[in-house]
Amino acid sequence: MTDPEETNAYNENDGLDENNLDQDPESTQENDLNAKLKDAYEQNEATQNKYLRALADLENIRKRSIREREESATRAKIQIFIDLLPILDAFSLGLAQAEKNEGDKEVVQGFAMAMIQFKETIKTYGLEIIEPSNGNFDPSLHEAIGYEESEGVENGTILKTIRTGYKLKEKLLRPASVILVKNDTK
């Protein structure tokens, strides 16, 4: 049989490691707290990084949404203006023919004022009219459709505008169709 004192001594040491016998319980508790604090800081940093990424993603989505809305509005404007350009050309040609006739000057003047008002309105929406008569040829804005001779005018200069060109901000909707000067040098 075993002595009860030996059993008690054995139970008191049961589960204790020899290395832990030397450590102070306060020191062990402090190490545990430090480890927990370190874990909490790491979790906080990870959560903060996730939050910052989510915030940046949200800001990018907001900016992309604004940009897409602006692009959509610009595309709609472009399509409307492209559809209106032939009508504007027809009115301009009609006005030019009506001005040649002597009758009904008041009607022609009223029509001319309406055309001026129409052109001013489309300018407020960003449509720019390209009418380059007697200017320099720019292939990014003009389309040369023919040549004519003209004394005293430098070759390559725009002599006449056949069809008006238009652009919306920096986007060219239609180049101006022009006749250029080309003098024969003999």
Side-chain angles (χ1 to χ4, degrees):
M1 272 240 147
T2 56
D3 186 25
E5 283 185 27
E6 285 181 39
T7 306
N8 256 353
Y10 178 76
N11 287 338
E12 287 176 4
N13 290 331
D14 191 23
L16 291 179
D17 194 4
E18 286 182 21
N19 295 334
N20 286 341
L21 292 177
D22 296 337
Q23 287 187 346
D24 182 18
E26 284 183 22
S27 175
T28 304
Q29 190 176 17
E30 186 177 317
N31 287 341
D32 289 345
L33 288 175
N34 283 336
K36 287 180 182 179
L37 184 62
K38 182 180 176 186
D39 287 344
Y41 277 126
E42 288 173 356
Q43 287 177 350
N44 181 37
E45 188 175 333
T47 303
Q48 188 173 12
N49 286 338
K50 287 179 185 177
Y51 168 76
L52 291 175
R53 275 192 226 105
L55 192 63
D57 287 345
L58 184 63
E59 184 66 19
N60 289 338
I61 289 169
R62 186 185 68 79
K63 287 178 182 178
R64 184 175 51 231
S65 174
I66 290 169
R67 185 176 57 249
E68 287 173 353
R69 237 179 311 154
E70 289 172 352
E71 289 171 356
S72 178
T74 300
R75 281 192 306 272
K77 275 185 193 179
I78 288 171
Q79 189 57 50
I80 289 170
F81 284 136
I82 286 173
D83 292 343
L84 286 175
L85 292 182
I87 298 167
L88 184 59
D89 290 340
F91 281 151
S92 295
L93 288 173
L95 181 60
Q97 288 301 318
E99 287 175 341
K100 291 179 184 177
N101 296 333
E102 292 297 320
D104 297 327
K105 289 282 186 188
E106 293 83 23
V107 173
V108 172
Q109 286 177 343
F111 191 69
M113 288 179 5
M115 283 295 294
I116 290 169
Q117 186 178 10
F118 183 68
K119 286 183 179 181
E120 289 300 317
T121 300
I122 61 176
K123 281 182 183 178
T124 62
Y125 287 97
L127 189 69
E128 295 179 42
I129 299 170
I130 304 169
E131 293 187 62
S133 293
N134 296 323
N136 293 326
F137 180 74
D138 181 356
S140 66
L141 298 174
H142 311 125
E143 174 184 40
I145 59 170
Y147 296 95
E148 288 184 12
E149 290 184 14
S150 180
E151 295 295 323
V153 182
E154 187 178 322
N155 281 344
T157 302
I158 297 171
L159 185 61
K160 290 186 238 178
T161 302
I162 304 301
R163 185 177 73 172
T164 304
Y166 298 93
K167 68 180 187 172
L168 184 63
K169 296 184 181 178
E170 298 302 315
K171 179 158 177 59
L172 182 67
L173 300 181
R174 182 176 77 190
S177 298
V178 296
I179 302 289
L180 299 177
V181 173
K182 185 175 184 182
N183 294 320
D184 286 334
T185 52
K186 294 180 181 179

